[in-house]
Amino acid sequence: MAGNTANAGSWAMGDVLIAPLTAINPAKGAAFGIDWKFVGLLDGGQGFEEGRDSDSKKHFAWGGVLVEVSDSKYEQTATFTALENNPVIRQLVYPGSTFTEGVKGNQYEGVEVVPTKEKFKIAFQTQRSDGTIERKITKNYATLSGWPSKSKTEDDLESVKVEVAIFPLYNDATGKYELYDVYAGPKA
């Protein structure tokens, strides 16, 4: 039998963190700095979904012979579903709005405004049952891709489905556009 079962596994926990553009990405498995804020409980059944898209065009020679396939307009997105209504989620979903928090996290008041796109750093972290983590932290920034959809029903937890667009950072030394700092291993 080919393969190695040590390379397969499920993720016991997952987190999403948001930070301003000035926040420093932690090295390897080091703790996140004080600028990084957890979005709270996530829907593990939905997990993190990464989407990639580009416009592809097939080029043919006479006689219908495929010669080349070119791609342009590459786009990377990430989606997660938050289960909490907390200050971090409210600011992410309603940027520019002002809320005054009450004694408990679910008590607040304020003014909700028509949102505007804001740039922020985002980190996705999953953890296996053995404590091994995997992190993807934006090299540049992310913005909301469309507007999050909220769901409130009698039978399910309140949730907010969030999709973000990931903007790459051009690296002069490599000549490549970089999306994430990636780390997989033990926590530091």
Side-chain angles (χ1 to χ4, degrees):
M1 177 171 87
N4 181 347
T5 57
N7 292 332
S10 61
W11 300 102
M13 301 187 65
D15 285 306
V16 173
L17 296 93
I18 305 292
L21 298 179
T22 56
I24 297 171
N25 291 4
K28 297 189 179 181
F32 285 91
I34 60 171
D35 288 338
W36 290 91
K37 306 295 182 208
F38 287 89
V39 300
L41 295 173
L42 303 172
D43 185 338
Q46 296 295 317
F48 302 138
E49 184 177 319
E50 288 186 292
R52 293 189 242 175
D53 194 19
S54 66
D55 290 346
S56 292
K57 183 176 180 181
K58 295 178 182 176
H59 305 274
F60 295 88
W62 274 1
V65 177
L66 180 64
V67 177
E68 178 71 51
V69 177
S70 61
D71 290 300
S72 66
K73 301 178 185 167
Y74 179 83
E75 179 185 14
Q76 177 99 20
T77 59
T79 305
F80 63 93
T81 301
L83 299 177
E84 286 191 46
N85 181 0
N86 62 34
V88 176
I89 283 294
R90 283 193 290 277
Q91 195 56 46
L92 182 63
V93 174
Y94 303 108
S97 297
T98 55
F99 299 105
T100 302
E101 302 301 321
V103 178
K104 295 183 179 180
N106 61 354
Q107 297 175 348
Y108 58 94
E109 63 179 280
V111 177
E112 192 175 293
V113 300
V114 174
T116 57
K117 298 283 182 177
E118 292 190 359
K119 298 175 182 177
F120 51 88
K121 289 186 133 185
I122 191 166
F124 300 92
Q125 178 173 281
T126 47
Q127 181 175 324
R128 293 183 184 209
S129 57
D130 68 359
T132 302
I133 62 170
E134 181 180 285
R135 285 184 178 166
K136 294 180 98 169
I137 306 170
T138 51
K139 293 280 285 186
N140 197 7
Y141 65 87
T143 65
L144 292 176
S145 179
W147 298 111
S149 59
K150 291 183 81 172
S151 175
K152 294 181 182 183
T153 69
E154 179 180 5
D155 297 329
D156 294 314
L157 290 173
E158 178 178 355
S159 64
V160 179
K161 187 170 187 173
V162 178
E163 180 178 79
V164 295
I166 308 299
F167 289 80
L169 177 68
Y170 184 73
N171 183 326
D172 287 327
T174 65
K176 296 183 179 185
Y177 288 93
E178 299 176 347
L179 295 164
Y180 295 104
D181 281 331
V182 179
Y183 171 78
K187 281 186 179 179

